[in-house]
């Protein structure tokens, strides 16, 4: 298990891109009378996770267990699992293993269980939660994203269209645009092209590009 996590982390930090899901997913499965409902969500922060878990509990208020696993960050080094009352290691960890088997990050999977009256035992529980997570990942779109550094760009309004064209032609994401006497653009610049693009931006007169913390 430790080897799997280390392998995943090593793979992530060596790349300038990462794999995540592009939309929420939903799947159901059953095991000896118990019903398992899996929800997959794109994840950006711990606050998002809390909201997603609360939503699932609202959607399924009579469930006996709300187990989950998430992995967060472009480097994939932040994760959390919960068995939510199931025997230790039988729910959250199997779900996380399914996430890691596909090399995903920025994803949260919550598996809800409705107890069917028959005990599944340790192997049965592990297989049931693994299956539920596998099913939801099979019907959830996966996409590749570039690892980006966020910049705040201030430039002359007359140059804004040229700046935007430069960013879009180089696969930068445009997060925010503010029009005033000076244009202000918040953009995600791929780390693989960061130095090149910053140099290109500074060729514009009266332009200032400042690296910022996207969480602030």
């Amino acid at each position: 298990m430790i080897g799997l996590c280390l392998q995943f982390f090593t793979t992530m930090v060596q790349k300038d891109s990462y794999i995540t899901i592009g939309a929420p997913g939903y799947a159901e499965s059953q095991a000896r009378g118990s019903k398992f409902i899996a929800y997959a969500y794109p994840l950006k922060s711990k606050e998002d996770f809390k909201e997603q878990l609360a939503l699932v509990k609202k959607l399924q208020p009579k469930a006996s267990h709300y187990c989950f696993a998430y992995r967060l960050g472009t480097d994939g080094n932040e994760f959390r699992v919960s068995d939510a009352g199931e025997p230790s290691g039988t729910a959250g960890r199997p779900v996380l293993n399914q996430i890691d088997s596909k090399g995903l990050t920025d994803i949260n999977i919550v598996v809800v269980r409705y107890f069917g009256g028959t005990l599944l035992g340790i192997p049965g529980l592990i297989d049931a939660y693994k299956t539920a997570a596998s099913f939801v990942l099979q019907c959830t779109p996966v996409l590749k994203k570039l690892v980006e550094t966020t910049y705040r760009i201030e430039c002359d309004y007359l140059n804004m269209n040229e700046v935007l064209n430069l960013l879009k032609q180089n696969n930068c994401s445009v997060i925010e645009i503010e029009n005033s006497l000076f244009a202000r653009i918040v953009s995600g610049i791929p780390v693989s092209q960061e130095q090149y693009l910053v140099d290109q931006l500074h060729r514009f007169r009266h332009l200032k590009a400042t690296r910022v913390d996207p969480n602030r």
Side-chain angles (χ1 to χ4, degrees):
M1 200 69 64
I2 294 176
L4 176 62
C5 292
L6 288 175
Q7 181 182 14
F8 176 86
F9 178 77
T10 302
T11 302
M12 291 295 296
V13 297
Q14 289 177 342
K15 294 183 177 180
D16 55 15
S17 63
Y18 61 99
I19 305 172
T20 187
I21 57 173
Y26 174 93
E28 296 185 9
S29 59
Q30 293 195 14
R32 299 177 66 185
S34 285
K35 183 177 181 179
F36 295 84
I37 304 174
Y39 295 85
Y41 295 101
L43 188 65
K44 287 298 181 185
S45 67
K46 293 179 182 179
E47 288 67 32
D48 282 349
F49 159 72
K50 293 176 183 177
E51 293 176 3
Q52 291 164 2
L53 182 60
L55 174 60
V56 171
K57 289 182 176 181
K58 184 177 180 180
L59 292 171
Q60 306 291 343
K62 296 183 179 180
S64 55
H65 300 279
Y66 303 89
C67 305
F68 64 81
Y70 69 70
R71 191 172 285 282
L72 185 60
T74 56
D75 56 7
N77 65 355
E78 184 174 351
F79 69 93
R80 183 180 170 191
V81 299
S82 173
D83 299 310
E86 298 282 29
S88 178
T90 62
R93 181 59 65 174
V95 173
L96 183 66
N97 288 345
Q98 288 303 298
I99 292 173
D100 289 352
S101 71
K102 295 185 177 296
L104 299 170
T105 190
D106 284 354
I107 178 176
N108 170 37
I109 296 180
V110 182
V111 180
V112 171
R113 180 189 182 189
Y114 285 89
F115 182 57
T118 301
L119 296 175
L120 301 182
I122 299 298
L125 285 171
I126 292 173
D127 185 65
Y129 281 99
K130 171 186 174 181
T131 299
S134 175
F135 281 2
V136 76
L137 289 175
Q138 289 176 32
C139 38
T140 304
V142 172
L143 55 86
K144 180 179 179 180
K145 287 188 174 183
L146 297 175
V147 178
E148 297 179 330
T149 302
T150 304
Y151 276 81
R152 180 179 291 107
I153 302 165
E154 298 180 5
C155 64
D156 190 307
Y157 178 74
L158 296 176
N159 292 329
M160 185 179 73
N161 287 337
E162 288 185 71
V163 171
L164 287 173
N165 285 336
L166 175 66
L167 294 172
K168 292 176 180 178
Q169 288 170 5
N170 289 277
N171 299 314
C172 301
S173 61
V174 177
I175 302 167
E176 182 181 334
I177 300 176
E178 180 184 339
N179 293 323
S180 59
L181 181 60
F182 284 89
R184 293 180 176 85
I185 304 166
V186 178
S187 175
I189 296 180
V191 294
S192 59
Q193 303 182 74
E194 184 176 353
Q195 190 58 59
Y196 165 76
L197 283 170
V198 171
D199 289 343
Q200 292 298 307
L201 287 168
H202 283 145
R203 294 177 64 182
F204 291 93
R205 294 185 62 188
H206 309 301
L207 182 145
K208 181 180 179 182
T210 307
R211 191 171 179 172
V212 298
D213 181 352
N215 298 316
R216 295 185 62 182

